[in-house]
Amino acid sequence: MKISRILSKATGMILILAVILSIAPVAAFAAENGPYADTSGHWAENAIAQWSDYGVLKGDNGSFRPDDPITRAEMAAVLDRVMKYQSTDSPVFTDVSPSAWYYDNVRHLAAAGVVTGVGGGSFAPDRNITRAEAAVMIARAFHIADGSGETAVFPDAADIADWAADAVQGLKDAGYINGFPDGGFHPKDTITRAEAATILDNMVGLLIDAAGEHDYAGLGEAVGIVVINTDGAAVKNLKVNGGLIVAAGVGEGETYLENVEVAGGVYVEGGGEDSVYFNNCTIRELVI
């Protein structure tokens, strides 16, 4: 059992960074999970180590290159590793070769509706991802509701494209992103791998990636979103202040929830309504 972030109250949920998430260079997706020679003492060291331990983030030749930008393909790979999407029943992008290391990752996200490409049948896998693009992918993957528009907008809101505005506002409303010191979101800027690791660590309170019993009695509250991405997990005595996702990685398997209280929605992507068992649970909404 691994715990990414179990706390009694929300602390450090909002970064001065805008939305981010992803990792590893193109050659790194068959590489090691740390420790890395270039992350010791880095401000994102703990987040990088945690999500490398999960196998979601990877390095190359002993390095992680935390301050390098990330690409759209790398973003797809990270989200795919978190959710373990199954279906590849989606159109093939003209610039995503079957021989590319990210081929299945991109197809999985396209089938799940997380990515739609950049137009003209292309995905632009090697292009560094912008904050606006990252916001949309993250919001779709983690079921973040569109923003209400009731909170203060960013001073550079006019620079946020219409296709990204609802996702950006939704992530801000949920407390997962904030502005830079100047207050702006900087939607057209790229993000770094360290920023990616940090937003992932702040957003996901707990990743349950192993079968068997996971009893959280006495451990407090999971701050953020809980993701279960494996078959056969039995989760007990857990309070979640965000949502809970039974991810596609559960496949046709089963998930057991006992004495679980979820402030947000429970989203079932893997298994189905008849394979998620609730015993003395309190949830706001069940979405199949």
Side-chain angles (χ1 to χ4, degrees):
M1 178 179 70
K2 301 175 184 175
I3 301 175
S4 173
R5 192 177 296 269
I6 296 285
L7 299 173
S8 60
K9 61 181 180 179
T11 56
M13 282 291 292
I14 302 177
L15 224 51
I16 64 169
L17 306 168
V19 73
I20 37 186
L21 205 181
S22 192
I23 72 146
V26 169
F29 284 80
E32 75 281 356
N33 293 24
Y36 309 111
D38 56 354
T39 58
S40 179
H42 193 278
W43 59 266
E45 178 181 5
N46 290 339
I48 293 168
Q50 174 66 85
W51 287 88
S52 294
D53 187 38
Y54 279 132
V56 171
L57 307 184
K58 296 180 184 292
D60 184 39
N61 294 323
S63 298
F64 183 76
R65 301 190 303 169
D67 298 317
D68 281 3
I70 59 175
T71 68
R72 289 170 53 82
E74 291 168 348
M75 172 70 79
V78 168
L79 292 176
D80 196 21
R81 287 190 181 126
V82 173
M83 301 299 179
K84 297 183 178 179
Y85 294 113
Q86 305 290 306
S87 176
T88 57
D89 185 17
S90 65
V92 178
F93 295 109
T94 58
D95 56 352
V96 177
S97 169
S99 63
W101 62 265
Y102 48 77
Y103 179 73
D104 284 341
N105 300 131
V106 173
R107 292 200 70 190
H108 286 161
L109 265 67
V114 176
V115 300
T116 57
V118 296
S122 299
F123 181 72
D126 298 323
R127 194 178 76 193
N128 292 336
I129 197 166
T130 68
R131 297 180 186 280
E133 291 171 336
V136 172
M137 286 192 194
I138 293 168
R140 288 173 178 166
F142 288 96
H143 300 280
I144 303 301
D146 288 348
S148 65
E150 296 175 357
T151 57
V153 298
F154 295 105
D156 59 352
D159 295 331
I160 302 174
D162 290 344
W163 51 263
D166 287 342
V168 171
Q169 187 67 55
L171 286 160
K172 187 177 189 300
D173 288 350
Y176 295 127
I177 64 170
N178 205 344
F180 280 84
D182 65 0
F185 177 69
H186 300 186
K188 299 177 183 179
D189 288 355
T190 59
I191 60 177
T192 69
R193 295 138 65 89
E195 291 170 344
T198 301
I199 195 63
L200 181 60
D201 199 49
N202 283 348
M203 191 172 188
V204 181
L206 178 64
L207 176 64
I208 299 172
D209 61 353
E213 182 175 298
H214 302 262
D215 192 339
Y216 297 100
L219 290 178
E221 181 177 77
V223 177
I225 299 167
V226 169
V227 178
I228 303 170
N229 69 4
T230 189
D231 172 26
V235 181
K236 302 173 62 176
N237 304 311
L238 177 64
K239 185 175 182 179
V240 186
N241 82 343
L244 185 149
I245 301 173
V246 180
V250 173
E252 298 299 321
E254 298 177 330
T255 301
Y256 304 87
L257 303 176
E258 179 178 346
N259 297 326
V260 174
E261 180 180 343
V262 184
V266 174
Y267 302 90
V268 179
E269 298 178 347
E273 184 176 8
D274 295 333
S275 61
V276 180
Y277 299 91
F278 298 89
N279 180 19
N280 193 33
C281 295
T282 303
I283 62 175
R284 188 187 71 184
E285 179 185 19
L286 178 63
V287 182
I288 305 297

